[in-house]
Amino acid sequence: MKLSFSWLQELVQLTKPITELTESLSMAGFEVEEVTDLSVQAQGVVVGYVKKVEPHPNSTKLNICSVDIGGSDLLQIVCGAKNVKANIHVLVATVGSVLSSIPVTIKESTIRGIKSQGMICALSELGIESKSEGIENLENRGDKFPNIGESVIKYLNLDDSIIELAITANRPDGMSIVGIAREISTITDSKLTIPELDYNSDFELFDLDISNSDCLSENRLYSLTLINNIDNTKYHSNQIIKNRIEKIGINSINPIVDITNYIMLEQGQPLHAFDNGLLKDLIGRDVLMSDFGIRRGIQGESFEALNDKIYKLNENMHVITCSNIPIAIAGVIGGKSTAVTSKTTSIWLECAVFSPISVRNNSREIGLRTESSSRFEKGIPNQNVFPVANRVTKMISDILRGKIISKYANKKTRENTNKIKLRSNRIHKILGQIKEYKIIPNIKLNEQCVTTTSPLRYINDNEIVGLLTSLGCNLERNNEGWDVVIPPYRSLDLTREIDLIEELARLIGYDNFDAKLPEPLQPGVLNPHEKVIRRLRHSFACQGFQEVVTSSLVSPPSKEISKSIPIANPLLIEASHLRRSIWPEHVEILKRNISSGSHGCWIYEVGKIYNYINDKYEETLLLSGAITGQRALGKWQKRDKNDGLDYYQARGKLTQVLQSISINEIDKKLDRSNHLHPGRSTSIFIEGKNCGSFGQIHPQIAEDNGLSMETYIYEIDLEKVIMASTRRNVWVKSFKEFPTVPSMERDIALVHSKEYSSKDILNLIKKTGSPLLEEAELIDKYAGDNIPKGSISHAFRIRYRDKKKTLKEEEINPVHEKIRKALVSKFKAELRS
């Protein structure tokens, strides 16, 4: 929201400089994003008089001008404008001036061999107009302009500053200069002088053709006013309206449009004018009230807007129609076919309150956000419609000599009779005590408060009444406090008792309240769930991984759209659905890093995915990540710049991480996956439950994203991991004595069918060798030419130990032989050792 400081000064009596004012606004909740001093655009620019113009001897497009700026000597300025001539007053940027809008610093220079001592300016070069046809001839602006040599800052209305505010969604009243003036009046105790509004609701009721109530629900208002005999060729008063809207960044179109834009900035209520003559041409007859309506767009329907763009409508959009022909996209932009021009003499003036959700949808669908849509999206009270419509019609009548023919509305506004119960004891309980005595605007404190010696006190009733009255509220006393009637312009954000209490705190100043912390203040501790996640993060960091955070909101999937979960009222189509998996985001991260020259990228993320299963929404916490390339400080050990981890090295990284929380996982063959290699991926089982997957990326995905085949993706259900690691027998560590007797090791090598995994064999070895068997591990794998087809050779190392004594051969041999026989029996293995 941009506002003019000079315009603001007309509405509220300001005694503070602009720097203090912006600080006060920021502290009151209206963040000041930028303050622009317009006078900077014309510093050093003065009025000059061109006495003589001669052609440049070395150029056919340049002229040498002799210009008087009030000094003892004439300036010689080389100018290339086609409209420069003698005996006119012009804008001259003197040597040393900085034209910030170009930007350029004016210096004395030599142009084609001729000295030039300044610059004759066009309005576009001063940032006043976007495009100019030549230098500015002041005679064309009227007889009144400054004397030769005087500054043009005031003459060009640049003696002003533009304040840009960030308006939060809960303060729609801040989208108007009158709303900001009210706020300043309250926080600075300044006199408020705002335009008086006519609340007369003498509008004739009519039935608006509404085919869908989403855009204009029961509590929304739509009005139209027919105005004839308008002289829209020029202003019949000064240029105040035109200058004010242009300062704020809105282009001046013609008097009617300028007036509607001016009132929108002043009151925060968007308006739109339809050319009545063009409406007649559009439908082929005189326009009746019953012709106007609101409906959804038709899929594929075209609409040419005021910005000369053609938009394709769809069923998610709402349009204003005349005889069922679209003439505006509701709340966003009007149509070119009914646009007001300088030839317009009769208009239908629309003043309405559309649904914020509907306008937001319209804006998103066409990718356009306008001054009107930004106001409708935050919400506008119905009570604004009639007084604002009356103010606009009066201005058009007074300035452009228009004649009001008829006024229509789909309903009457209801006076706000709702009262909010505000309890004084509730105020004291929530806000606490004020640290020190403070004068609050428009409030007379009683003597007891003034003379109190206590450093802390509660806000008293007089202060409460004074503050809320300054906001425009009406208060009626009751036994517990007050019944508060909210003014229309704050009816959208002040709806509860707590809202009023918050306003009191905001206006007094949060820093003026005593801070009281809980007693005793207990230090926070991590629960086991949080400790597991912290240990995982620490372990990942130790292994060389980096944590990433990706958005849970994604664009609609190209496939399985019915299974995706759309969100209500998304801001962007790219963030309109909840994600069903995390790995696509991680693939994009790998792709960006590798394309940027990185030789490796190891990442992990703790995030959530969302699914709709059995008519129920499910949220799953995942530990997900990806590995590609090498992570090393030096390059001398690397055989190749693209040399990455093999499958077992990458899988070992994840195993080491999980071991930090005492998780022993088991890998089993993965049945099917769309994003993992069909032969190089596994399901991860913990405590007999399928908890996730690990594998090499699918070749097609790797090729599409320019990734190495040595890229690995993993996804694990973190809730199941946490449950397994926080079981009492795992989480609480028990003491185990260090063995004091030696162990003995034996190896077993066998050839067996590939249908049996090494994990199956290890499980049998451990089960059969108990209780003397302490550890068994795979030490070799071979599948050469001398191994039968469909078979594989594995070698295992088995460690035996008795906790109380040193084992002898005769004690180990029976157990070892038992293991060998079990392997032959169950797996039909051929023993090689």
Side-chain angles (χ1 to χ4, degrees):
M1 168 65 185
K2 293 181 179 180
L3 53 94
S4 161
F5 185 67
S6 63
W7 190 1
L8 200 58
Q9 285 177 309
E10 289 189 11
L11 302 178
V12 61
Q13 187 176 354
L14 299 175
T15 56
K16 293 183 177 181
I18 191 170
T19 52
E20 291 185 25
L21 176 63
T22 55
E23 176 67 19
S24 298
L25 281 171
S26 295
M27 293 302 294
F30 289 93
E31 181 186 355
V32 178
E33 293 187 325
E34 186 179 8
V35 178
T36 304
D37 184 359
L38 298 182
S39 66
V40 174
Q41 297 175 212
Q43 290 287 352
V45 180
V46 299
V47 174
Y49 182 72
V50 182
K51 289 202 167 185
K52 185 171 61 173
V53 176
E54 297 177 340
H56 195 292
N58 302 320
S59 174
T60 57
K61 295 183 179 180
L62 299 177
N63 294 295
I64 303 171
C65 305
S66 298
V67 183
D68 180 10
I69 63 167
S72 56
D73 299 322
L74 299 179
L75 297 183
Q76 180 175 278
I77 299 176
V78 176
C79 179
K82 295 180 181 180
N83 63 332
V84 67
K85 59 184 179 180
N87 302 319
I88 62 171
H89 290 79
V90 292
L91 306 173
V92 179
T94 57
V95 173
S97 303
V98 179
L99 303 183
S100 58
S101 59
I102 303 181
V104 67
T105 301
I106 305 302
K107 300 177 181 178
E108 186 173 307
S109 57
T110 301
I111 302 175
R112 297 286 183 93
I114 300 297
K115 183 171 69 173
S116 182
Q117 299 171 299
M119 176 178 175
I120 302 176
C121 300
L123 292 180
S124 59
E125 291 164 334
L126 298 180
I128 297 174
E129 292 182 351
S130 58
K131 186 178 180 180
S132 300
E133 296 299 327
I135 62 170
E136 183 68 6
N137 183 345
L138 301 190
E139 272 76 11
N140 294 338
R141 296 173 64 93
D143 297 333
K144 296 181 180 179
F145 44 78
N147 297 325
I148 294 174
E150 289 185 1
S151 172
V152 298
I153 290 176
K154 189 172 183 180
Y155 172 67
L156 296 176
N157 295 296
L158 297 177
D159 53 337
D160 197 0
S161 294
I162 300 300
I163 304 172
E164 186 169 357
L165 303 175
I167 307 299
T168 55
N170 67 321
R171 289 301 303 271
D173 61 300
M175 294 297 289
S176 68
I177 193 165
V178 167
I180 298 299
R182 288 194 187 102
E183 185 71 20
I184 292 173
S185 174
T186 300
I187 63 178
T188 63
D189 191 21
S190 303
K191 182 180 179 182
L192 186 65
T193 310
I194 59 176
E196 292 186 9
L197 297 179
D198 178 8
Y199 285 86
N200 187 358
S201 57
D202 56 343
F203 285 68
E204 183 180 342
L205 292 178
F206 81 108
D207 291 327
L208 182 66
D209 182 16
I210 305 176
S211 61
N212 185 277
S213 61
D214 291 346
C215 182
L216 206 73
S217 54
E218 289 185 4
N219 60 341
R220 306 293 175 186
L221 197 61
Y222 188 90
S223 74
L224 286 166
T225 304
L226 177 61
I227 309 175
N228 290 342
N229 302 332
I230 300 172
D231 181 358
N232 200 33
T233 56
K234 62 181 180 179
Y235 287 102
H236 293 277
S237 63
N238 55 41
Q239 299 285 302
I240 291 178
I241 293 175
K242 180 175 181 292
N243 292 335
R244 283 181 174 173
I245 65 172
E246 286 182 339
K247 282 182 185 179
I248 291 175
I250 297 178
N251 293 331
S252 174
I253 307 298
N254 56 61
I256 293 176
V257 176
D258 290 355
I259 289 173
T260 59
N261 285 332
Y262 178 85
I263 296 302
M264 177 187 67
L265 295 174
E266 180 190 88
Q267 301 291 337
Q269 169 69 59
L271 303 109
H272 187 73
F274 302 103
D275 187 307
N276 188 30
L278 294 178
L279 284 174
K280 290 179 182 179
D281 296 339
L282 185 68
I283 67 175
R285 56 176 173 79
D286 288 342
V287 179
L288 304 175
M289 280 307 305
S290 57
D291 291 326
F292 290 93
I294 301 175
R295 65 167 171 83
R296 287 189 179 274
I298 300 173
Q299 191 70 37
E301 188 176 19
S302 296
F303 176 78
E304 186 175 6
L306 288 170
N307 57 3
D308 295 326
K309 292 185 178 180
I310 298 177
Y311 296 103
K312 292 293 184 181
L313 305 181
N314 58 56
E315 294 180 353
N316 295 326
M317 302 168 63
H318 289 91
V319 293
I320 309 299
T321 62
C322 184
S323 190
N324 206 38
I325 301 173
I327 55 175
I329 297 176
V332 182
I333 193 169
K336 188 174 181 180
S337 61
T338 58
V340 172
T341 66
S342 59
K343 298 179 181 179
T344 298
T345 59
S346 176
I347 64 169
W348 287 95
L349 179 68
E350 174 194 82
C351 186
V353 176
F354 298 112
S355 162
I357 295 175
S358 171
V359 175
R360 194 177 297 118
N361 287 339
N362 289 347
S363 182
R364 185 181 63 250
E365 290 292 337
I366 65 173
L368 177 66
R369 198 161 187 260
T370 61
E371 290 284 346
S372 293
S373 67
S374 64
R375 286 165 171 81
F376 280 124
E377 286 174 17
K378 287 183 169 61
I380 296 173
N382 276 348
Q383 292 84 350
N384 269 18
V385 172
F386 292 153
V388 170
N390 289 335
R391 176 157 170 73
V392 174
T393 53
K394 186 176 187 307
M395 290 184 70
I396 293 176
S397 177
D398 293 345
I399 299 175
L400 306 180
R401 301 171 184 171
K403 182 180 180 181
I404 302 170
I405 303 300
S406 54
K407 299 190 291 186
Y408 303 92
N410 67 324
K411 64 182 63 179
K412 297 289 185 179
T413 56
R414 296 178 181 177
E415 186 178 350
N416 182 22
T417 57
N418 294 332
K419 297 179 181 179
I420 299 175
K421 186 177 181 180
L422 180 62
R423 297 164 290 176
S424 55
N425 61 349
R426 184 68 174 164
I427 296 172
H428 300 326
K429 182 177 180 179
I430 292 177
L431 298 184
Q433 294 179 307
I434 302 175
K435 289 189 296 186
E436 58 186 15
Y437 170 78
K438 181 178 185 238
I439 298 177
I440 299 179
N442 300 322
I443 301 166
K444 294 182 179 180
L445 302 177
N446 56 44
E447 290 186 13
Q448 187 177 357
C449 289
V450 176
T451 58
T452 182
T453 58
S454 172
L456 296 174
R457 67 173 179 83
Y458 289 104
I459 178 174
N460 62 65
D461 291 356
N462 287 343
E463 292 171 318
I464 294 171
V465 173
L467 285 170
L468 294 180
T469 301
S470 69
L471 292 176
C473 299
N474 291 321
L475 287 81
E476 298 177 5
R477 188 76 194 188
N478 60 36
N479 294 333
E480 295 182 288
W482 302 268
D483 291 322
V484 184
V485 179
I486 307 301
Y489 49 84
R490 295 297 303 273
S491 61
L492 297 179
D493 68 297
L494 299 181
T495 58
R496 305 167 298 166
E497 180 184 35
I498 193 64
D499 297 330
L500 295 173
I501 296 175
E502 183 184 2
E503 284 296 288
L504 292 173
R506 184 178 68 86
L507 295 175
I508 293 173
Y510 295 107
D511 53 342
N512 289 306
F513 286 92
D514 180 41
K516 188 175 182 181
L517 298 175
E519 295 179 1
L521 187 62
Q522 297 291 339
V525 293
L526 298 177
N527 59 38
H529 182 286
E530 295 164 334
K531 286 182 179 179
V532 169
I533 295 178
R534 177 168 289 190
R535 288 179 187 177
L536 284 172
R537 285 193 166 106
H538 179 74
S539 182
F540 270 115
C542 292
Q543 294 297 327
F545 286 75
Q546 290 178 300
E547 185 174 11
V548 297
V549 179
T550 58
S551 174
S552 298
L553 301 178
V554 296
S555 57
S558 56
K559 298 179 180 179
E560 297 182 347
I561 294 180
S562 60
K563 296 182 180 180
S564 63
I565 302 176
I567 64 172
N569 307 319
L571 294 177
L572 300 169
I573 192 66
E574 293 82 5
S576 59
H577 286 67
L578 292 171
R579 64 184 176 189
R580 301 182 65 239
S581 57
I582 304 180
W583 68 264
E585 298 295 323
H586 291 173
V587 169
E588 285 297 319
I589 293 174
L590 299 187
K591 179 180 176 181
R592 286 195 297 269
N593 277 268
I594 297 303
S595 64
S596 298
S598 176
H599 296 303
C601 183
W602 301 358
I603 59 175
Y604 76 95
E605 178 176 1
V606 176
K608 293 181 178 180
I609 61 171
Y610 307 86
N611 289 286
Y612 188 67
I613 302 174
N614 298 328
D615 297 328
K616 184 173 68 174
Y617 294 106
E618 291 189 1
E619 180 181 271
T620 306
L621 182 65
L622 285 188
L623 175 63
S624 178
I627 302 172
T628 190
Q630 285 279 5
R631 296 291 305 276
L633 293 176
K635 298 183 179 180
W636 62 274
Q637 289 181 324
K638 297 170 66 176
R639 298 186 300 274
D640 182 9
K641 68 177 183 178
N642 295 322
D643 186 22
L645 302 181
D646 62 28
Y647 179 91
Y648 298 102
Q649 288 174 320
R651 181 65 183 86
K653 293 290 181 183
L654 185 58
T655 296
Q656 287 177 299
V657 170
L658 294 177
Q659 285 178 346
S660 68
I661 55 172
S662 304
I663 291 294
N664 295 315
E665 76 278 19
I666 297 175
D667 286 6
K668 294 186 179 181
K669 184 179 179 181
L670 183 65
D671 293 334
R672 183 176 178 273
S673 173
N674 293 328
H675 67 281
L676 296 179
H677 194 294
R680 299 176 186 173
S681 54
T682 61
S683 294
I684 298 176
F685 281 74
I686 299 173
E687 295 184 333
K689 299 177 182 178
N690 189 345
C691 295
S693 62
F694 176 93
Q696 189 171 315
I697 191 171
H698 195 285
Q700 187 61 52
I701 297 176
E703 181 181 348
D704 293 343
N705 291 276
L707 295 174
S708 164
M709 280 305 301
E710 283 74 38
T711 298
Y712 309 92
I713 298 172
Y714 57 91
E715 285 186 331
I716 302 173
D717 189 329
L718 189 53
E719 293 290 354
K720 294 179 180 178
V721 171
I722 292 171
M723 185 183 300
S725 65
T726 54
R727 296 193 187 281
R728 183 171 179 81
N729 62 330
V730 178
W731 186 253
V732 180
K733 303 299 180 184
S734 58
F735 174 73
K736 185 178 181 181
E737 290 187 359
F738 191 80
T740 57
V741 295
S743 64
M744 297 184 70
E745 293 181 347
R746 297 283 181 91
D747 291 346
I748 293 179
L750 65 156
V751 177
H752 62 88
S753 173
K754 286 184 177 180
E755 66 178 291
Y756 303 113
S757 68
S758 61
K759 183 66 69 174
D760 295 332
I761 297 173
L762 278 171
N763 289 339
L764 180 63
I765 291 173
K766 291 177 180 179
K767 181 179 180 180
T768 308
S770 178
L772 295 182
L773 188 146
E774 183 181 68
E775 186 60 61
E777 60 181 341
L778 177 68
I779 60 172
D780 188 37
K781 172 186 173 183
Y782 180 70
D785 295 336
N786 57 341
I787 301 296
K789 186 177 181 181
S791 298
I792 191 169
S793 174
H794 279 144
F796 300 90
R797 180 157 294 161
I798 305 173
R799 185 165 68 243
Y800 298 98
R801 193 196 307 266
D802 190 317
K803 297 179 181 179
K804 297 180 180 180
K805 63 180 181 178
T806 302
L807 291 173
K808 298 178 181 179
E809 289 288 337
E810 56 267 23
E811 294 174 313
I812 296 175
N813 288 340
V815 177
H816 195 68
E817 187 61 29
K818 183 180 177 182
I819 294 173
R820 290 166 58 88
K821 290 180 179 179
L823 293 173
V824 172
S825 174
K826 183 167 184 177
F827 300 116
K828 306 295 186 291
E830 176 188 345
L831 298 177
R832 306 185 70 185
S833 66

